[in-house]
Amino acid sequence: MTRILFFGRLRDVAGHGERDIDLPDDVATIADLRAWIGRDDAVLGDALRCRSIRACVNHVISIDDNASVKGAEEIAFMPPLSGG
Amino acid sequence: MTRILFFGRLRDVAGHGERDIDLPDDVATIADLRAWIGRDDAVLGDALRCRSIRACVNHVISIDDNASVKGAEEIAFMPPLSGG
Amino acid sequence: MISVAITRAAFSPEAELAGFAARRDTGSGALASFIGYCRNKSADSAVEQLELDHYPGFTEREVERMTHGVGAKHGVGEILVIHRVGTIAAGEAIVLVAVASAHRAAAFAAAEELMDRLKTDAPFWKRELGPAGARWIEPTAQDYARREEHEE
Amino acid sequence: MISVAITRAAFSPEAELAGFAARRDTGSGALASFIGYCRNKSADSAVEQLELDHYPGFTEREVERMTHGVGAKHGVGEILVIHRVGTIAAGEAIVLVAVASAHRAAAFAAAEELMDRLKTDAPFWKRELGPAGARWIEPTAQDYARREEHEE
């Protein structure tokens, strides 16, 4: 079971902030996950493909779309960060 | 009558912070005034000749030692400024 | 004494600053600080409130890491960061950064760099709510440029 | 709203900051500030108190002029300066500078430049008193170098 989280404007697009999902075997990388989510929800899939959206796997922000998501407990999708 | 003021470490050297004086006719410039004070008090005169000491004539800091002091109401001698 | 708090509750920046000042090393003669408030107007419209989203656990860790990094870079060990999340009313403080040091240049530099990094590198997402609806706020090109200036 | 006060009385920097924040334009989302304290130790010795000499009338005018100049340069109109004179005990605040603005960069820049100028261009003279006696403090080469950086 993997928890998928959406933050900021992605939460609006997804319609939820987090969901627990059993990832299918053929979802091996962040790129795979983006595509797989897009199959179910084209609008969210488009939003996720935006260059400014970064994935964070088990609390580590990844800049490599080919990074593995195998066995990940938490994967967050993040629009540009902005505090302060 | 002209008020002569000493600030910071000059006040310590002069032994007072201000004094009202009738300037003699031959004290026409700041340089004259420094020299004239030095005639009375050699230690204070030495302190006043230090390059870092600036004179302030009627609330205007002067960088010209030949600036006139004729008819001045207030002349202040200032070591380097330092607030904050 | 580096202290980082991410909080839903409204706070008084001045009261927190007073506490920080009271706890500081008495050799620290310089205290630079920054308070960021929720404005009542944005570029083009009125703002009634701000909503700040964060990633519980991760956000705290990242802001702690960032704060220690900036402190080490500028040689300052006394930093306070308070950052709100959730719903923030116009006029309320969103963030307080305070840095105490023996040297004013280091205190200013650390406070400013920390604010610049919070703007672009801290896991928060915010939107302004006004009569015209909601609008997500993301860093500007200027924000990214300011952050870049701090890179070696 | 530019406010400059030269005062013999001890003041609470946080209370003054709270008042300044309450009076600020509600479009000013950024408030940068600096508090300078009388340290309890100097480079080489303990400090019990500080004595700040000033030139009544002239000092007030010069600090006002400096504050308006820095405000105009950075495009900020909300500045508070409180500067003590007379005898200041270790731990007490000597100076508070606060700048409110719509933009954090301008608020930081104005606060920092004003502090740099106060260190070298404001008519104050100070000495530290400790068990070893009294010592006049004058700006360092570094202080002058920082001030020069602000010149065009």
Side-chain angles (χ1 to χ4, degrees):
Chain A
M1 201 72 122
T2 303
R3 175 160 294 179
I4 311 289
L5 301 100
F6 299 103
F7 290 101
R9 56 184 157 82
L10 288 178
R11 182 202 295 264
D12 290 351
V13 177
H16 62 269
E18 57 183 67
R19 189 159 288 177
D20 292 332
I21 288 174
D22 278 314
L23 292 184
D25 285 345
D26 60 349
V27 171
T29 67
I30 294 168
D32 293 342
L33 179 58
R34 291 185 202 247
W36 183 73
I37 292 171
R39 243 169 276 158
D40 229 40
D41 182 335
V43 177
L44 181 57
D46 261 10
L48 289 181
R49 265 185 294 271
C50 183
R51 256 184 66 87
S52 66
I53 304 297
R54 285 181 294 177
C56 180
V57 181
N58 291 341
H59 284 190
V60 177
I61 291 181
S62 177
I63 50 165
D64 178 6
D65 230 34
N66 293 316
S68 170
V69 295
K70 280 293 183 192
E73 287 175 18
E74 273 192 18
I75 304 168
F77 285 101
M78 303 176 163
L81 315 182
S82 179
Chain B
M1 200 71 123
T2 303
R3 174 159 298 179
I4 311 287
L5 301 101
F6 299 102
F7 290 101
R9 56 184 156 85
L10 288 178
R11 181 201 294 263
D12 290 350
V13 178
H16 62 270
E18 58 184 67
R19 188 158 290 179
D20 292 331
I21 289 174
D22 279 314
L23 293 184
D25 285 344
D26 60 348
V27 171
T29 67
I30 294 168
D32 292 342
L33 180 58
R34 291 183 201 247
W36 183 73
I37 292 172
R39 243 168 278 156
D40 231 40
D41 182 336
V43 178
L44 180 56
D46 263 9
L48 290 180
R49 263 186 294 273
C50 182
R51 257 183 64 87
S52 67
I53 304 298
R54 286 182 294 177
C56 179
V57 181
N58 291 340
H59 284 191
V60 177
I61 291 180
S62 178
I63 50 165
D64 177 7
D65 230 36
N66 294 316
S68 170
V69 295
K70 280 292 181 191
E73 287 175 18
E74 273 191 19
I75 304 168
F77 286 101
M78 302 177 163
L81 315 182
S82 179
Chain C
M1 179 253 300
I2 286 185
S3 162
V4 171
I6 309 296
T7 172
R8 288 198 172 269
F11 67 96
S12 158
E14 298 84 13
E16 297 294 339
L17 210 49
F20 177 70
R23 292 189 305 271
R24 81 185 193 285
D25 185 305
T26 45
S28 294
L31 196 166
S33 69
F34 182 87
I35 307 169
Y37 296 96
C38 177
R39 292 181 294 170
N40 68 347
K41 55 176 186 267
S42 187
D44 43 358
S45 58
V47 175
E48 285 156 359
Q49 61 186 47
L50 208 62
E51 279 181 9
L52 264 131
D53 202 0
H54 79 303
Y55 186 172
F58 182 66
T59 299
E60 288 80 353
R61 205 197 60 184
E62 288 294 295
V63 176
E64 290 246 5
R65 202 160 62 106
M66 183 181 294
T67 305
H68 279 87
V70 168
K73 176 173 169 184
H74 295 283
V76 296
E78 302 178 284
I79 309 182
L80 171 68
V81 177
I82 302 177
H83 203 300
R84 281 187 69 189
V85 292
T87 303
I88 298 163
E92 289 183 349
I94 303 166
V95 63
L96 166 67
V97 164
V99 180
S101 168
H103 306 286
R104 87 179 174 287
F108 267 117
E112 193 162 10
E113 175 161 351
L114 199 41
M115 278 308 306
D116 288 348
R117 290 190 181 274
L118 282 168
K119 284 277 172 186
T120 57
D121 298 353
F124 295 100
W125 299 272
K126 62 182 172 217
R127 60 175 171 179
E128 292 177 346
L129 282 82
R135 194 171 69 97
W136 289 99
I137 309 296
E138 292 185 356
T140 62
Q142 199 180 23
D143 288 327
Y144 286 119
R146 287 178 61 80
R147 193 268 312 271
E148 287 311 308
E149 284 175 16
H150 299 297
E151 299 301 332
E152 250 58 307
Chain D
M1 178 256 293
I2 287 186
S3 163
V4 171
I6 309 297
T7 174
R8 285 197 176 271
F11 67 96
S12 158
E14 298 84 14
E16 298 293 339
L17 208 51
F20 176 70
R23 292 189 305 271
R24 83 186 191 285
D25 185 306
T26 45
S28 293
L31 197 166
S33 69
F34 182 87
I35 307 168
Y37 297 95
C38 177
R39 291 180 294 170
N40 68 347
K41 53 177 187 266
S42 186
D44 42 359
S45 57
V47 175
E48 283 155 2
Q49 60 187 46
L50 209 62
E51 280 181 7
L52 262 131
D53 203 358
H54 79 303
Y55 186 173
F58 182 66
T59 299
E60 287 80 353
R61 205 196 62 186
E62 288 294 295
V63 177
E64 290 247 5
R65 201 160 62 104
M66 183 181 295
T67 305
H68 280 87
V70 168
K73 176 173 169 186
H74 295 283
V76 297
E78 303 177 285
I79 310 182
L80 171 68
V81 177
I82 302 177
H83 203 300
R84 282 188 68 187
V85 292
T87 303
I88 298 162
E92 289 182 349
I94 304 166
V95 62
L96 167 67
V97 163
V99 180
S101 168
H103 306 287
R104 88 181 174 286
F108 267 118
E112 192 162 10
E113 175 162 351
L114 199 42
M115 279 307 307
D116 288 348
R117 290 190 182 275
L118 282 168
K119 285 276 171 185
T120 57
D121 298 352
F124 296 100
W125 300 272
K126 62 182 174 219
R127 59 175 171 181
E128 291 177 347
L129 282 82
R135 194 171 69 98
W136 290 98
I137 309 296
E138 293 185 356
T140 62
Q142 198 181 26
D143 288 327
Y144 287 119
R146 286 178 61 82
R147 192 270 310 275
E148 287 311 308
E149 284 175 17
H150 299 297
E151 300 300 331
E152 252 61 306

